[in-house]
Amino acid sequence: MTTDTPARLLQLLSLLQTPREWPGGELAERLGVSRRTIRRDVDRLRELGYPVQASKGADGGYRLVAGKAMPPLVLDDEEAVAMAVGLRAGAGHAVEGVDEASVRALAKLEQVLPSRLRHRVATLQAATTHLTSGDGASIAPETLTVMASTIAGHERLRFAYRSGDGTPSRRLTEPYRLVSTGRRWYLVAYDLERDDWRTFRVDRVAEPFATGARFAPRELPAGNAAEYLRQSMYRRQETYEFEATFAAPADFVAARLPQWFGVPEALDDGTCRLRGTAGDSVEWLAVRFALVDCEFTVHRPAELVTCVRDLGARLSRAASAPGA
């Protein structure tokens, strides 16, 4: 029998989070208490925000259902390890759809993992190879979790950084947000030594260190971190406007291209037009358009039109070569 009420509530919550209905008698037997105590404990869980649903009947069953808010979860060892490994696998690559929220979740989880579970997670991670479709660089999940923790705690972050030309430097920053572009992670932060806002490619960061020094967040020059990153990237590189027509519905095309390409405009049920601004090479853009898996026509710029024509001819020659 569990006489400590908080401990008993946690045990009861752990049972209820299993997707099934528990008869009141079975819960009472497992916890070594009376059915009346189970009813009182269920009322306590409801007061804490856990939506426990009771069914009528001779034995009166209980189950946890979806509510208006997400209450804290109670995970056993196996569940905690599985969740940490999954989040680390996703966080290590800038996969579209795995954004800052998953990194924050990983940071919270790893903060409370016992040392024995941390070792199991690290062992599984080291023994696993992930096949990814993105062409972004791989990133150590620990780097992202350190950054996410300093962002959440408004704590200054120090790290080593390597610029695009390979120049090394040490940076002391006030981190603001992590942003995923679908291929890479970026850190938007205020650089204290340069007295200005900066964006950093996370795959070029090494030895991130939380200094423990707190700071009051500054106001970002742009509306949000994603917009600031977009403006910063366009300032640093030559951009061009593109336009293409796809022989497919707009939602079909949108699902097969990164969000930052823009939203395709439906011309009719089977055709759409895409206009946008890009800073990547025309070769990369041509390949991405080809991967949409439908007929398409490039209208501008002229460099992209030429690139698509040359790429098509090259692929045709490859398919007609002897032995192909």
Side-chain angles (χ1 to χ4, degrees), residues 22-30 33 35 59-60 62:
W22 290 88
E26 186 175 348
L27 290 174
E29 182 179 350
R30 280 188 173 240
V33 296
R35 296 188 185 188
D59 204 22
Y62 300 94

Side-chain angles (χ1 to χ4, degrees), residues 34-144:
S34 66
R35 296 188 185 188
R36 182 179 179 182
T37 299
I38 292 296
R39 289 194 294 270
R40 287 201 303 264
D41 287 349
V42 166
D43 289 338
R44 291 190 180 99
L45 289 178
R46 288 169 176 161
E47 291 172 0
L48 293 172
Y50 293 93
V52 182
Q53 185 181 74
S55 60
K56 297 180 180 180
D59 204 22
Y62 300 94
R63 66 184 305 158
L64 200 62
V65 298
K68 295 181 180 179
M70 176 73 179
L73 296 176
V74 176
L75 304 174
D76 62 27
D77 285 5
E78 299 301 326
E79 293 165 343
V81 169
M83 185 173 292
V85 170
L87 288 171
R88 285 168 65 93
H93 302 269
V95 181
E96 189 171 0
V98 180
D99 54 15
E100 186 193 355
S102 65
V103 178
R104 292 201 310 269
L106 177 59
K108 291 178 181 179
L109 180 60
E110 293 201 338
Q111 183 179 358
V112 297
L113 277 181
S115 58
R116 70 179 191 281
L117 298 187
R118 286 175 181 268
H119 176 71
R120 288 178 60 185
V121 171
T123 301
L124 280 171
Q125 191 77 15
T128 305
T129 300
H130 301 282
L131 178 63
T132 59
S133 59
D135 56 355
S138 179
I139 301 170
E142 294 83 355
T143 298
L144 291 170

Side-chain angles (χ1 to χ4, degrees), residues 251-296:
D251 56 353
F252 177 91
V253 175
R256 286 160 176 77
L257 289 174
Q259 294 181 356
W260 61 264
F261 270 48
V263 180
E265 173 191 358
L267 301 178
D268 53 46
D269 291 343
T271 310
C272 66
R273 177 172 54 206
L274 182 65
R275 292 171 174 166
T277 304
D280 291 285
S281 67
V282 292
E283 292 81 5
W284 185 83
L285 195 62
V287 171
R288 285 311 305 256
F289 283 175
L291 291 176
V292 174
D293 195 24
C294 70
E295 298 293 323
F296 67 96

